Amino acid sequence: MNEKNTNCSCNRYGKKRLTKEEEQVMMIILLMMIVVPLVVGLGFFLIDYILQRKRSWKFHEITNFPKQPDWLMKLEVSALTKKEEKYFTIYTKHYSKEFGAKIYPTVVKKLREVLGNHFKFTIDSDVIPDLTCIISVPKRNFKCGGIPGEFIPKHGESPGCYFEYQMIGDDRIQVTWFMVEGKKYVAGICLYMKNPEQCNYKYREQVIEQLLKEPDYWSTYGLKEETMKVLIRKDNEEWNLFTNNRYGEERCFRFISEKRQLDTYRPFASKHYGKKKSSEYPGDLTVQVCKSRNEMVMIGMRDGERMHATWNKKHQQMEYYRCASCAELYDTPPPTYQSLQHIH
């Protein structure tokens, strides 16, 4: 009778058991089979991320016509919903999603924040909806044209001027350059979004801010004479200042006697205004920014000195208040009426 070998290293199926060294080798092989693909995949992801970030800074060749991304060329702009806001024009479109699926507008949220910081106001989904696909942002003294990426000077074009267009990154940002008298100005930028869930880093905040902070273009062609006149509103005898700047734009300011300051407002028809028929009306009233109060004020001469002038409606006469900072500006010419655009 054969004796049972108690030291046999075989398992119940008769196969030889692995030694500890062999088990360790097998564990290492299994770990490598799991870890290596993860490392390789992560490596490819990081390389792609770095390349795309680098590409998002790239300014492509300049063209003579606005360029459109491939996804927009397959559509018609007329198929998009257009809405004009105060500082920009937006286009929205329908996105195909599974029934009940929720849209996470990652890039739209970022652009709301970027533009809100630039224009100094809070932008929510009512201003820039989640389904926004194009944002056309004109620079000062320009307005949006008929198609995305097209911008038009508000005050007319100077002789010999022309436009150039340049895509940035993966056709996601386009800048429109206005070329005039050997100089170039940013006329506006256009932001293209194939869908609102794209990655934020493909829209470089620094590029957008840099372009929007470029110096503004001011036309020097076909300028008009600046004018200013002070009239009285007939129904309440309130002082009103009417100005026309060199671009022919009229603005109206009303003088609030209680606050002793000028506020802008939309004027009524000209028949509601007239000149004050009173010996108290000084014909040498001027308007300037008071340095100490940092606001527009009326200035009149009193005993050879420049003073703040206010109209006392109750007593129907002018009242004068001395201001040291305004009195010192006697020999300084008043600001151009163009500067009135920057008040309020």
Side-chain angles (χ1 to χ4, degrees):
M1 183 175 180
N2 295 332
E3 294 182 358
K4 186 176 181 180
N5 186 3
T6 57
N7 296 324
C8 180
S9 59
C10 299
N11 58 21
R12 59 185 295 185
Y13 300 105
K15 294 183 179 180
K16 187 178 180 180
R17 292 181 178 178
L18 298 176
T19 63
K20 289 185 177 181
E21 290 78 7
E22 291 174 331
E23 289 180 350
Q24 291 176 353
V25 172
M26 289 297 295
M27 287 295 296
I28 292 174
I29 293 174
L30 289 173
L31 287 174
M32 290 182 65
M33 292 176 64
I34 297 173
V35 173
V36 170
L38 290 176
V39 172
V40 172
L42 181 60
F44 278 115
F45 174 80
L46 290 176
I47 293 173
D48 181 67
Y49 175 78
I50 293 172
L51 291 176
Q52 290 202 44
R53 282 188 65 89
K54 184 178 180 180
R55 195 180 299 122
S56 65
W57 283 98
K58 184 178 180 180
F59 282 67
H60 297 282
E61 64 179 7
I62 293 176
T63 61
N64 295 324
F65 299 95
K67 184 181 177 182
Q68 295 181 345
D70 292 338
W71 64 266
L72 184 57
M73 294 178 65
K74 298 176 182 178
L75 300 173
E76 292 186 5
V77 175
S78 59
L80 305 178
T81 302
K82 180 179 179 181
K83 184 175 72 167
E84 295 184 2
E85 296 289 346
K86 181 177 180 180
Y87 296 108
F88 40 77
T89 297
I90 64 170
Y91 297 81
T92 57
K93 73 181 183 73
H94 175 73
Y95 292 93
S96 298
K97 296 282 288 186
E98 295 181 2
F99 180 76
K102 185 178 180 180
I103 291 179
Y104 296 92
T106 310
V107 68
V108 175
K109 288 183 177 180
K110 175 182 179 178
L111 295 178
R112 286 178 192 150
E113 181 180 354
V114 172
L115 295 177
N117 291 337
H118 177 75
F119 291 111
K120 309 300 182 186
F121 79 103
T122 301
I123 298 178
D124 55 22
S125 58
D126 292 331
V127 179
I128 300 182
D130 293 346
L131 300 181
T132 298
C133 60
I134 302 174
I135 306 177
S136 189
V137 188
K139 281 276 289 177
R140 187 174 188 175
N141 298 324
F142 288 89
K143 59 183 178 181
C144 293
I147 61 174
E150 181 183 61
F151 301 96
I152 303 171
K154 287 183 178 179
H155 310 299
E157 298 183 1
S158 302
C161 67
Y162 60 96
F163 291 90
E164 292 182 343
Y165 307 88
Q166 191 171 23
M167 276 291 187
I168 305 170
D170 296 334
D171 293 349
R172 302 175 193 276
I173 303 175
Q174 182 172 235
V175 56
T176 300
W177 300 102
F178 182 62
M179 315 297 292
V180 58
E181 298 178 356
K183 298 180 181 179
K184 71 175 183 178
Y185 299 87
V186 174
I189 63 173
C190 203
L191 308 171
Y192 298 97
M193 291 155 283
K194 184 177 181 180
N195 66 72
E197 299 178 325
Q198 296 181 84
C199 298
N200 286 344
Y201 64 82
K202 296 181 180 180
Y203 296 83
R204 301 309 295 267
E205 180 178 350
Q206 297 91 331
V207 173
I208 297 173
E209 290 181 345
Q210 178 183 342
L211 292 172
L212 292 179
K213 289 181 179 179
E214 284 284 319
D216 295 321
Y217 166 73
W218 293 92
S219 175
T220 58
Y221 177 74
L223 300 181
K224 299 177 175 60
E225 181 182 0
E226 294 177 330
T227 62
M228 179 180 71
K229 58 184 177 181
V230 178
L231 300 176
I232 295 292
R233 215 172 97 183
K234 295 178 180 179
D235 60 344
N236 61 3
E237 296 193 344
E238 181 181 72
W239 290 94
N240 288 257
L241 172 69
F242 290 83
T243 67
N244 281 276
N245 65 17
R246 63 189 65 184
Y247 300 110
E249 298 171 334
E250 183 182 66
R251 297 197 72 188
C252 181
F253 303 82
R254 59 182 177 184
F255 186 70
I256 310 300
S257 57
E258 293 80 7
K259 299 180 180 179
R260 286 189 281 173
Q261 70 181 35
L262 290 166
D263 287 341
T264 58
Y265 82 107
R266 181 174 294 180
F268 301 101
S270 58
K271 65 181 181 180
H272 296 284
Y273 303 91
K275 292 185 177 181
K276 181 66 178 177
K277 297 180 180 179
S278 170
S279 59
E280 293 291 338
Y281 172 71
D284 60 349
L285 278 179
T286 59
V287 177
Q288 72 175 47
V289 178
C290 177
K291 293 177 62 177
S292 62
R293 293 169 55 176
N294 193 30
E295 62 187 20
M296 296 290 296
V297 296
M298 281 190 179
I299 298 294
M301 297 298 297
R302 189 73 168 179
D303 300 327
E305 186 177 6
R306 290 164 57 88
M307 295 186 177
H308 288 197
T310 63
W311 176 250
N312 188 318
K313 186 164 56 175
K314 180 179 180 180
H315 296 94
Q316 293 290 295
Q317 65 181 14
M318 294 296 298
E319 294 181 349
Y320 296 86
Y321 301 87
R322 190 179 187 283
C323 174
S325 62
C326 292
E328 293 175 356
L329 298 176
Y330 184 80
D331 295 326
T332 303
T336 64
Y337 306 138
Q338 181 66 35
S339 63
L340 294 176
Q341 294 187 101
H342 305 293
I343 305 300
H344 303 284

